[in-house]
Amino acid sequence: TRDEVVGHNSFEFSFFANITDREKFLTQYNSYGFAELECQWKRKGGYKIHIMLTSSRIELNGDKFFITVIKDISDRKAAEERFQKSFALSPDLMLIIREHDLRLIDANTKLEEVSGYTHDEVLGKSSSEFDLWVLAEERQRYFEELSKKGQIVMEALLRKKDGTQFYGIISANRMELSEENHIIVIVKDVTEKKKSEEKLRLSEANLNATINNTEIMIWSIDRSFNLLTYNQAFHDFIEKVYNRKLIIGSRIFEAPRNEIEQDTRDRWKERYMRALTGEIVKIEELRWDRYFQFSLSPIIENNLVTGVSVFAEDVSERVERDRLLSEANTKIGELKLMALRSVMNPHFIFNALNSIQYFIAQNDRKNAISYLSTFSKLIRSILNNSVHNKIKLAEELEQIKYYIDLELVRFDNKFDFVLDIDPELDVESINIPSLLIQPYVENAILHGLYNKKERGALKISVYEKDDSVLFEIEDDGVGREMAMRIRQQNFPKHKSMGTALTEERLKLINAQDVVSFEIVDLMNDNQPAGTKVKIRVKS
């Protein structure tokens, strides 16, 4: 306080924070009768501040006095320190230029990297001696605007010491440093950015050219159904079909003029709303006697759906090609099945004729006549169904019974046969691929039951489950493994075509119908007890 210092010697309450600053002050004063010094000042509580200390000697009524002015410059010093830190750590080139003569006072460490000059080459020199500007008109505009406004930000073509040119953004501000006007200049090298922008511009130009030269229609809308962009194909289509002009920013839903346009508006509004919820919508439909494929995708910015982009392609030719190809494949499959049946039917006939020959050789007139009667029914059934890919379930079962009757006579009733048909099954209305289960029944008799010493049993179950017809062909014969060993022992060189033909038929049938089958080896006390074949046909 005033009372604490008035009348006291200044040494009793020395304000100087550093003894060195006190000695500087006294040296200046004693030498010139005047002193001016920036230093740290110590307040009574020990808190330090920055001050500007100005002191002069005067005489008054014969006495000599110090007249001292103390100015608190702590805020200015703090700002300067922050500036110096930013200056040193800036990722861009920073220059300090004295305004009245444009001489470079200081530059940060980015000087050589950006400009190619060293500090020794430029400090203290006028900016014109190391002119970075390539275009004189840009330099002139820079200084004119700086002089007028005191600050400027502009992009310019600049030159390094070695002549290499680069694009830079120059920002400059006039500011006071140490009570003198200076210009703080920041030079940011944006060459790579310019190159990227140019590549992007060329890419956009190429993209626009591609978009407008494609036959695919492309357009986009915002959340309010306003048109954002469109290509030439979409423009031409709308003009031709609807006789309307497209305008960027206008609503894609204009007032419908008739029921057809109202229907189109309603359908597309529903599609746009789905896409605006984030869904990718793909639709193929027939319009104007042409097939179109539409793909709607949400436009997402900052995790928000801001609009919808649409791609529409006329795929009529592709659809027609697919239809013709499908028809051709179906026809080929039908012809293959017919050819396979023509191979399999003689196989059945051959076995049956062998049996008739056996009865005749044995002079078994009764069995020969009975066999021929059943055989004629089987042949008639085969001939009637051989040209059809599908037959009624009732006809397939009747054909199977004829075949089994023949085999029972042929093998002297060596096995019992049971046909179990679900009474709820409408065998007259269900159609299945012809000759579907016969090969598996034949395998059960010839390879399973025939090789069994004791009397055997064959059971065929037919029922419906989960919209499918299920066949189960079960025998209690010797099993697949034993049958294979017997066949290899008795006919080592014989190559059976029945299994291969059956597998080929299933592959072709599966191309048109959903058919699956499973073979289960039955066991009793870990011994083979027969075979069960399960066949499922989608009804």
Side-chain angles (χ1 to χ4, degrees):
T1 64
R2 180 184 179 87
D3 292 340
E4 289 177 304
V5 297
V6 172
H8 292 270
N9 189 293
S10 63
F11 293 110
E12 297 180 39
F13 49 88
S14 179
F15 296 125
F16 286 101
N18 300 309
I19 189 67
T20 304
D21 290 337
R22 184 176 185 277
E23 290 175 353
K24 285 181 183 178
F25 171 75
L26 292 174
T27 300
Q28 285 187 32
Y29 186 79
N30 291 331
S31 300
Y32 309 108
F34 176 86
E36 184 178 83
L37 183 67
E38 279 190 14
C39 62
Q40 278 192 316
W41 200 251
K42 187 168 56 178
R43 292 163 57 92
K44 176 184 175 182
Y47 178 73
K48 296 177 182 179
I49 60 173
H50 285 275
I51 64 164
M52 171 64 74
L53 179 63
T54 306
S55 186
S56 302
R57 180 189 295 134
I58 64 169
E59 288 190 16
L60 185 63
N61 298 326
D63 291 326
K64 295 178 180 181
F65 294 90
F66 290 133
I67 301 297
T68 304
V69 177
I70 301 171
K71 181 179 181 180
D72 188 345
I73 60 170
S74 299
D75 290 342
R76 192 197 81 191
K77 291 294 288 186
E80 287 178 356
E81 288 175 1
R82 288 195 298 271
F83 171 76
Q84 287 296 333
K85 187 175 181 180
S86 299
F87 184 80
L89 299 177
S90 173
D92 304 313
L93 171 60
M94 291 188 69
L95 307 170
I96 301 177
I97 299 174
R98 195 163 53 204
E99 186 174 17
H100 76 271
D101 59 5
L102 298 181
R103 291 192 179 279
L104 184 63
I105 303 303
D106 201 359
N108 68 355
T109 56
K110 293 291 181 178
L111 175 67
E112 189 167 358
E113 179 184 331
V114 175
S115 72
Y117 291 96
T118 65
H119 283 74
D120 292 339
E121 290 176 308
V122 297
L123 291 184
K125 295 182 180 179
S126 172
S127 62
S128 60
E129 296 181 51
F130 53 93
D131 194 4
L132 299 178
W133 303 87
V134 172
L135 303 176
E137 57 269 26
E138 288 185 345
R139 185 177 191 275
Q140 183 178 352
R141 180 164 69 88
Y142 166 78
F143 281 107
E144 286 177 355
E145 191 165 338
L146 180 63
S147 175
K148 187 185 302 181
K149 298 180 180 178
Q151 61 181 18
I152 183 174
V153 177
M154 65 177 285
E155 186 178 291
L157 186 60
L158 305 175
R159 184 193 301 111
K160 295 186 178 185
K161 178 184 175 182
D162 62 4
T164 304
Q165 295 183 357
F166 67 97
Y167 285 96
I169 293 179
I170 296 184
S171 57
N173 281 278
R174 183 188 293 118
M175 66 182 297
E176 183 179 320
L177 291 175
S178 301
E179 299 182 351
E180 192 172 22
N181 283 339
H182 290 74
I183 302 170
I184 307 299
V185 181
I186 300 175
V187 181
K188 184 179 185 67
D189 187 343
V190 293
T191 305
E192 291 303 318
K193 178 186 173 187
K194 289 286 289 186
K195 289 179 180 177
S196 298
E197 288 175 351
E198 181 62 17
K199 287 181 181 178
L200 180 60
R201 187 190 66 78
L202 290 174
S203 297
E204 289 178 345
N206 291 333
L207 178 62
N208 288 331
T210 301
I211 287 174
N212 285 306
N213 287 325
T214 182
E215 294 182 357
I216 297 175
M217 294 181 286
I218 303 171
W219 71 95
S220 62
I221 63 164
D222 62 18
R223 293 192 66 88
S224 299
F225 308 112
N226 295 319
L227 188 61
L228 295 175
T229 58
Y230 61 86
N231 70 343
Q232 191 64 40
F234 184 60
H235 170 274
D236 295 344
F237 177 82
I238 295 297
E239 189 173 54
K240 177 182 177 181
V241 175
Y242 294 102
N243 193 27
R244 290 184 184 271
K245 294 289 185 181
L246 293 175
I247 302 174
I248 296 292
S250 63
R251 286 180 66 81
I252 195 73
F253 297 131
E254 293 189 7
R257 296 171 294 194
N258 49 53
E259 290 184 3
I260 294 177
E261 289 191 5
Q262 180 65 50
D263 176 65
T264 301
R265 169 180 171 170
D266 293 342
R267 283 186 297 105
W268 275 96
K269 187 171 183 178
E270 184 269 336
R271 296 170 185 175
Y272 288 137
M273 292 301 296
R274 286 170 59 189
L276 286 170
T277 64
E279 179 184 356
I280 295 177
V281 183
K282 293 185 180 294
I283 297 170
E284 189 173 297
E285 66 177 356
L286 178 65
R287 300 287 290 173
W288 307 284
D289 297 325
R290 306 289 292 175
Y291 283 95
F292 287 89
Q293 189 176 70
F294 300 102
S295 178
L296 293 79
S297 301
I299 300 172
I300 301 176
E301 297 177 0
N302 298 324
N303 294 323
L304 296 175
V305 178
T306 60
V308 179
S309 62
V310 187
F311 289 76
E313 183 178 5
D314 186 340
V315 294
S316 302
E317 293 183 4
R318 190 259 295 164
V319 170
E320 180 64 14
R321 284 197 306 270
D322 291 347
R323 184 186 66 80
L324 293 174
L325 181 61
S326 177
E327 289 180 355
N329 286 333
T330 301
K331 193 65 177 177
I332 290 170
E334 291 174 354
L335 292 173
K336 283 183 177 180
L337 281 171
M338 190 177 296
L340 279 173
R341 281 196 299 271
S342 71
V343 173
M344 294 181 73
N345 293 340
H347 181 66
F348 305 148
I349 295 170
F350 177 77
N351 288 334
L353 290 175
N354 278 343
S355 296
I356 295 172
Q357 187 180 30
Y358 170 79
F359 290 131
I360 292 173
Q362 296 294 320
N363 198 23
D364 190 344
R365 178 187 176 93
K366 180 180 179 182
N367 278 332
I369 293 173
S370 175
Y371 203 95
L372 276 170
S373 175
T374 306
F375 177 67
S376 66
K377 294 177 184 177
L378 176 62
I379 292 297
R380 188 181 302 111
S381 175
I382 289 174
L383 291 175
N384 288 337
N385 297 326
S386 63
V387 295
H388 300 296
N389 286 328
K390 286 191 173 185
I391 62 173
K392 292 180 181 179
L393 176 57
E395 294 173 344
E396 175 80 357
L397 294 175
E398 183 181 42
Q399 189 169 288
I400 285 295
K401 284 189 284 186
Y402 288 149
Y403 171 74
I404 294 174
D405 286 344
L406 289 176
E407 296 292 42
L408 281 169
V409 174
R410 178 184 172 196
F411 294 123
D412 197 21
N413 292 308
K414 186 177 175 60
F415 61 90
D416 297 319
F417 169 59
V418 174
L419 178 60
D420 183 13
I421 303 173
D422 185 350
E424 298 295 324
L425 199 62
D426 187 355
V427 295
E428 292 293 336
S429 63
I430 296 174
N431 292 321
I432 64 170
S434 63
L435 292 173
L436 177 63
I437 66 171
Q438 197 279 338
Y440 298 100
V441 175
E442 183 178 2
N443 279 339
I445 295 171
L446 298 184
H447 303 301
L449 298 171
Y450 177 72
N451 292 315
K452 185 177 180 179
K453 295 179 180 180
E454 303 85 7
R455 186 176 183 83
L458 173 67
K459 180 179 180 181
I460 298 176
S461 302
V462 188
Y463 55 97
E464 193 169 18
K465 182 179 181 182
D466 299 331
D467 297 325
S468 296
V469 177
L470 275 77
F471 299 89
E472 290 185 355
I473 302 134
E474 182 177 349
D475 69 80
D476 62 352
V478 298
R480 287 192 297 168
E481 185 176 348
M482 177 61 73
M484 186 178 298
R485 287 204 300 268
I486 293 172
R487 186 166 64 248
Q488 289 175 347
Q489 180 180 345
N490 295 336
F491 307 100
K493 295 183 179 180
H494 174 68
K495 183 178 180 181
S496 175
M497 296 295 291
T499 302
L501 292 173
T502 301
E503 290 178 356
E504 180 65 19
R505 283 193 72 240
L506 277 178
K507 288 180 183 178
L508 292 170
I509 290 171
N510 265 322
Q512 302 174 27
D513 300 277
V514 180
V515 178
S516 62
F517 79 102
E518 177 187 3
I519 299 178
V520 181
D521 293 312
L522 304 177
M523 306 295 288
N524 185 8
D525 294 332
N526 294 324
Q527 295 297 317
T531 306
K532 178 186 286 188
V533 178
K534 299 179 180 180
I535 303 173
R536 178 189 294 266
V537 185
K538 193 74 174 176
S539 60

